[in-house]
């Protein structure tokens, strides 16, 4: 299976990626992880990647594409792969097509984990964290016994700056603006598999398998 997985922040994409990787025994290739690894190893590539990451900028397409080409050469990609975080732009998608076509292979499917913006807002904006021990809570799905107080240590619960409605809305807008052209690109080929990311983890995974034609 040669797959891509896409989905907005908070949709549970990472969890599905792990399940897919295990089920098909294919590597989960996350460009974010590859960048971090290159930086850690201080490879020549890592040195240039570090500059962008430290400034909070996106790593340019040409470097990203080179990282992907190198990763695809590893033996574990022979039977397929699950890309995560790549492609992020149309030039990257076009480059991926040409890389794969040089290898005489094509993508089987793009798994798109769909959750409504409103649901994502509820999920993320309801998160609370303990100031003392960092334990995580949710005002609807994982309430503490006493409102605003940590069950484990009695510490005060607060909302991280990243999780406020305004920040979440902004992150979703960036994601949607960035992803729309890619979804259009793959939609023309009819390889997008939309799965509902709202339910239980296992239910979403069943949808993923069904969308890929796996008999269960
Ligand atoms: Zn606590």
């Amino acid at each position: 299976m040669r797959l891509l997985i896409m989905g907005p922040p908070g949709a549970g994409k990472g969890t599905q990626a792990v399940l897919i990787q295990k089920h098909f025994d294919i590597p989960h290739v996350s460009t974010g992880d590859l960048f971090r690894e290159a930086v850690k190893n201080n490879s020549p590539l890592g040195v240039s990647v570090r500059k962008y990451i430290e400034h909070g900028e996106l790593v340019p397409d040409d470097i990203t594409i080179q990282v992907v080409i190198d990763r695809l050469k590893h033996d574990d990609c022979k039977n397929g792969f699950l890309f995560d975080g790549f492609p992020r732009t149309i030039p990257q998608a076009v480059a991926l097509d040409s890389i794969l076509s040089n290898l005489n292979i094509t993508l089987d499917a793009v798994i798109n984990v769909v959750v409504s913006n409103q649901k994502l807002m509820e999920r993320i904006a309801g998160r609370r964290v303990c100031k003392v021990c960092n334990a995580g809570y949710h005002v609807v799905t994982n309430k503490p016994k006493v409102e605003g107080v940590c069950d484990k240590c009695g510490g005060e619960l607060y909302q991280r700056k990243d999780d406020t409605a305004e920040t979440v809305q902004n992150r979703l807008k960036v994601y949607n603006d960035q992803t729309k052209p890619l979804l259009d690109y793959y939609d023309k080929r009819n390889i997008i598999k939309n799965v509902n990311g709202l339910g239980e983890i296992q239910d979403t995974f069943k949808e993923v398998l069904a969308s890929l034609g796996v008999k269960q």
Side-chain angles (χ1 to χ4, degrees):
M1 277 285 177
R2 299 182 192 98
L3 307 169
L4 305 183
I5 187 162
M6 296 171 73
K13 175 175 67 105
T15 310
Q16 293 302 319
V18 171
L19 295 172
I20 294 166
Q21 164 187 34
K22 281 191 188 145
H23 185 92
F24 293 106
D25 194 20
I26 51 177
H28 172 205
V29 180
S30 147
T31 41
D33 289 346
L34 292 176
F35 291 151
R36 278 186 286 275
E37 202 181 293
V39 169
K40 209 175 87 193
N41 296 338
N42 228 2
S43 64
L45 184 86
V47 173
S48 54
V49 166
R50 184 196 300 267
K51 279 187 297 189
Y52 297 101
I53 293 183
E54 277 178 355
H55 291 102
E57 289 165 20
L58 285 180
V59 179
D61 287 346
D62 55 341
I63 297 179
T64 306
I65 290 159
Q66 195 51 54
V67 167
V68 169
I69 292 176
D70 289 349
R71 184 62 185 83
L72 277 174
K73 285 179 186 156
H74 292 212
D75 274 353
D76 64 345
C77 288
K78 279 208 173 104
N79 295 319
F81 46 76
L82 173 67
F83 273 124
D84 181 358
F86 177 88
R88 228 178 251 279
T89 63
I90 292 290
Q92 288 182 5
V94 172
L96 178 63
D97 280 342
S98 94
I99 295 164
L100 296 181
S101 122
N102 284 335
L103 297 168
N104 277 319
I105 53 181
T106 52
L107 279 180
D108 292 310
V110 175
I111 295 159
N112 186 32
V113 184
V114 182
V115 181
S116 75
N117 279 4
Q118 198 203 333
K119 267 285 165 213
L120 283 174
M121 290 286 295
E122 284 169 21
R123 266 191 195 181
I124 303 175
R127 287 179 188 161
R128 297 292 181 273
V129 181
C130 173
K131 269 185 182 165
V132 181
C133 74
N134 239 6
Y137 296 88
H138 192 281
V139 295
V140 180
T141 57
N142 184 18
K143 284 192 205 173
K145 289 195 184 85
V146 180
E147 193 188 320
V149 180
C150 177
D151 290 348
K152 288 175 188 145
C153 75
E156 189 190 336
L157 303 185
Y158 76 109
Q159 186 179 42
R160 289 186 318 179
K161 221 177 154 195
D162 270 3
D163 292 344
T164 60
E166 203 189 348
T167 319
V168 175
Q169 220 151 22
N170 193 39
R171 266 156 62 195
L172 289 178
K173 189 184 177 316
V174 169
Y175 175 81
N176 289 327
D177 288 351
Q178 195 178 55
T179 316
K180 179 82 176 50
L182 282 175
L183 289 175
D184 292 344
Y185 182 84
Y186 289 118
D187 197 30
K188 287 191 191 112
R189 264 191 261 165
N190 266 325
I191 56 170
I192 295 187
K193 313 290 180 190
N194 289 313
V195 297
N196 180 2
L198 280 183
E200 296 293 318
I201 289 168
Q202 282 303 330
D203 292 339
T204 303
F205 186 54
K206 276 182 190 160
E207 269 197 51
V208 170
L209 292 180
S211 77
L212 296 172
V214 175
K215 291 215 177 85
Q216 296 167 70

